[in-house]
Amino acid sequence: MPAHSADADFDALIAVVRDRLSRNIRIRRNLPGGGRLRLDRQLPFLCVYRTPPRDEVPDEGEANKTLRRDRSAQELVTTEGAYLFASGDPQHAEGLSQLCAAISDVLRDHLGALLVLEIWSIDDSAADATSRTALRPSFRIAAPAHESLVGTIEALAEGLRAIKLHGLRADVDIVEDDQPGAPGLASLTRACGAERCLTIGLGVRPVYRDAATGEVYPLVLQSLRRQLAMAIRKGVFAFTGREKTQSLAHYEALGPSTIAKAARVVDQQLCEISQSFDFLLQVTPVNAEKAWEDFEASNYAKAPTLHYRPLPYHPSLLKRQLYSIPIEHVEDASLMQLFEQKQDELDKQLDALKHLGTRAFYYDSLHLYGSPDEDLVRLADSILDHTRAAADDIHENCVPAEKVAAAAREHIDYYHQRLPDFQASVQVCDTIASALMVAQDRLFISERSSIRPQRLEPLLHHEVGTHLLTYFNGRQQPLRQLYAGFPGYEALQEGLAVLAEYLVGGLSVGRTRTLAARVLAVRSMLRGGSFMETFELLHDEHHLGPRSAFMTALRVHRGGGLSKDAIYLRGLRDLLTYLREGHELEPLYVGKISLEEVRLVQELRRRGVIQPPALLPRFWDEPNYRARLANCRRLSLVELLEQLL
């Protein structure tokens, strides 16, 4: 491209940047020479990567290797809300310098000085061979001896040293350089004033690629991008402390505040596949009540034969769609990690549905839900040993299904008045194994449900006030995974739902015995116990009523062996631990998330990507709620149960 043409292109781009950035409007533009500029909003920094000049590449083969390296190295900056990657060819040098000066000029009036962080790949030299073999990450910070940068460099170095790859912590060297920048390239900020545009250079050892061939190790690169992004934000956060015009509560607030188009597309496609089937509904027997009647008629001697809904899709075809989703195009490292984990979970669910009713389903179930740990088993044993058995929930004064449906609709109407989009449906049917069950935006009620009057309200807080509420809260967010469900979200969902029963004063001893029995039933099944052996364990040894023991055994042995039911007690135990550690309950209602991903949810909230929950549970303002929540913060689960006795 002729020099004058490049200059003209840069002049037009600079005019756009000045106009939009001054109004704090997002900018995403291609650059002359094949680069890109992204400014999510007014931010006090700019991450830069420049490719080596083409005239330094000796031959075509080397050029291809360099191209592969360039593409992987530039991904180290695209995690940020303010980045620029561009050609390092001399003909673009002046235009890039003027562009940086324009950005600095605009931000000076709003944020003060601009920090330019230029990243490059440290050469794979023979001297680095030992470190390369060990795959230890390594960084070199180059910066001028500028007093105002001392704290920034210290924070950046500390963040870099926390990076861990292949089990190895990173090495960090700090060198003084009056004009830091990519080796062999002209200073990018020479057109900026020294006080309004400060530069730090960051050399990165490319442990994410093969030194000989240039082939990239994508999982290593992904991990490095995620950790490097956090280190950069910590450094920039320290930099903002020098400016009175800048006020940030947390370094994570410096991340991108919007979901880019590529991420929105991936989010939508994953959600469409997730919503195209309901895993729990598909693995629920449609003949549970008939199976119980036959089992009772056999005097509890003959294991049931279970039947399931036919699959209205082919799992292999859904998996083909699943793996055609271009997750690798997502720049946001946090969202990319979430999407990959969700893809993996959907893959396992589809495998399980393909194997429904076979021994293979058992192994798929283990991949999805794992097995109960020994502490959980001991907790379940303790609950059953220290509480008295209650009769099965079959009484003459049980609430009929029609009244259960009416009460459920009243709860739904309460939330609908506060959030018009809360439009759940209620269906009375005879094809579910439990009294109540939520699937996406639907509440199913068994026409043979036998719910005691004192249990009705707690169960509605469980199903409507937790499962439906988090679903519709998730639908208010721009990230669809918040209602489709984060990977592994069920444990926290069930923990929250059972906690709701306690917080409204309706968690009974019988209910906790049921949760404990499910854990022991799962362990029995995983140890090779048959349906009859599991039933006898619950009925004869732990004194559950015959119907409760049957339904618990059925839930665990359905499909070929499902270990999901251990997550109820595990979710409650882990949630109480979370509360005792001083964490807040409110963020957990933002959608269907897992405890493991609360950290990500808080990051996305600080970045402004997602908002606080649209609705909080109905009991939130009730007078006894705070006192009961305080109990949860200071007492163990066993101690809470002792209060119920």
Side-chain angles (χ1 to χ4, degrees), residues 28-310:
R28 196 176 182 95
R29 290 289 189 275
N30 292 330
L31 302 181
R36 186 189 306 156
L37 171 70
R38 175 184 176 177
L39 300 175
D40 181 75
R41 60 195 186 280
Q42 292 175 351
L43 287 166
F45 72 104
L46 180 67
C47 281
V48 175
Y49 174 79
R50 288 183 285 174
T51 62
R54 288 185 174 84
D55 56 11
E56 293 184 6
V57 180
D59 55 49
E60 185 175 348
E62 188 66 23
N64 290 333
K65 185 165 72 172
T66 300
L67 180 60
R68 288 195 299 272
R69 290 178 174 179
D70 290 347
R71 286 176 177 170
S72 57
Q74 74 187 28
E75 290 183 35
L76 298 178
V77 302
T78 57
T79 57
E80 300 309 311
Y83 73 75
L84 179 157
F85 66 80
S87 167
D89 288 347
Q91 61 181 334
H92 302 301
E94 182 60 27
L96 290 172
S97 180
Q98 293 297 328
L99 176 60
C100 289
I103 295 171
S104 175
D105 284 344
V106 174
L107 293 180
R108 177 179 55 188
D109 297 333
H110 299 274
L111 303 177
L114 173 70
L115 176 66
V116 174
L117 183 66
E118 181 161 15
I119 294 176
W120 65 87
S121 190
I122 298 174
D123 287 341
D124 297 327
S125 64
D128 293 325
T130 301
S131 296
R132 257 197 333 270
T133 301
L135 297 176
R136 183 184 297 278
S138 181
F139 303 92
R140 183 177 302 139
I141 300 174
H146 202 298
E147 184 177 349
S148 63
L149 285 178
V150 173
T152 302
I153 294 169
E154 289 177 352
L156 176 60
E158 182 181 357
L160 294 173
R161 291 190 184 101
I163 291 176
K164 190 174 184 180
L165 295 173
H166 316 292
L168 301 169
R169 292 288 182 186
D171 288 330
V172 180
D173 295 326
I174 302 174
V175 298
E176 185 177 319
D177 189 339
D178 290 336
Q179 291 196 352
L185 298 179
S187 171
L188 192 63
T189 58
R190 60 186 179 277
C192 305
E195 292 300 320
R196 56 190 173 95
C197 192
L198 301 171
T199 304
I200 293 177
L202 180 61
V204 181
R205 175 167 289 119
V207 294
Y208 51 83
R209 71 187 184 208
D210 185 277
T213 66
E215 292 297 325
V216 175
Y217 310 131
L219 297 183
V220 178
L221 178 61
Q222 179 181 332
S223 179
L224 177 61
R225 292 178 74 238
R226 168 80 173 140
Q227 296 181 75
L228 180 59
M230 295 299 107
I232 289 173
R233 291 169 200 171
K234 289 176 181 178
V236 176
F237 184 70
F239 176 78
T240 63
R242 65 190 290 279
E243 295 290 343
K244 296 181 180 180
T245 56
Q246 300 175 25
S247 178
L248 294 171
H250 198 278
Y251 70 87
E252 288 175 346
L254 291 161
S257 64
T258 56
I259 302 176
K261 181 179 179 180
R264 291 199 306 271
V265 169
V266 168
D267 182 40
Q268 178 179 346
Q269 291 176 338
L270 282 172
C271 184
E272 287 172 353
I273 292 177
S274 178
Q275 299 285 285
S276 68
F277 68 94
D278 190 293
F279 178 79
L280 189 57
L281 199 61
Q282 289 292 164
V283 302
T284 298
V286 296
N287 64 326
E289 285 297 333
K290 180 64 165 59
W292 159 245
E293 292 170 359
D294 293 344
F295 185 71
E296 187 179 33
S298 74
N299 198 25
Y300 316 138
K302 184 179 179 181
T305 299
L306 303 177
H307 305 295
Y308 305 91
R309 295 168 177 79

Side-chain angles (χ1 to χ4, degrees), residues 269-271 273-274 277 315-327 339-340 342-350:
Q269 291 176 338
L270 282 172
C271 184
I273 292 177
S274 178
F277 68 94
S316 296
L317 296 181
L318 283 180
K319 288 181 72 168
R320 185 185 302 171
Q321 295 178 35
L322 180 65
Y323 281 101
S324 68
I325 297 174
I327 295 178
F339 293 153
E340 287 195 336
K342 185 62 179 181
Q343 185 183 55
D344 187 50
E345 181 182 67
L346 290 171
D347 175 55
K348 292 173 182 175
Q349 288 180 338
L350 290 169

Side-chain angles (χ1 to χ4, degrees), residues 574-591:
D574 295 348
L575 176 56
L576 290 175
T577 300
Y578 169 90
L579 292 174
R580 285 197 302 274
E581 291 172 350
H583 301 297
E584 294 302 316
L585 188 60
E586 180 260 7
L588 306 185
Y589 289 101
V590 72

Side-chain angles (χ1 to χ4, degrees), residues 327-380:
I327 295 178
E328 68 278 5
H329 293 168
V330 176
E331 291 181 343
D332 191 312
S334 297
L335 292 181
M336 184 180 186
Q337 181 179 359
L338 170 66
F339 293 153
E340 287 195 336
Q341 290 172 349
K342 185 62 179 181
Q343 185 183 55
D344 187 50
E345 181 182 67
L346 290 171
D347 175 55
K348 292 173 182 175
Q349 288 180 338
L350 290 169
D351 272 343
L353 292 178
K354 188 175 181 180
H355 301 141
L356 186 62
T358 73
R359 183 60 175 171
F361 180 89
Y362 164 90
Y363 298 105
D364 296 326
S365 162
L366 277 178
H367 290 153
L368 282 166
Y369 300 107
S371 58
D373 58 78
E374 288 304 313
D375 286 342
L376 188 65
V377 172
R378 283 193 291 270
L379 175 61

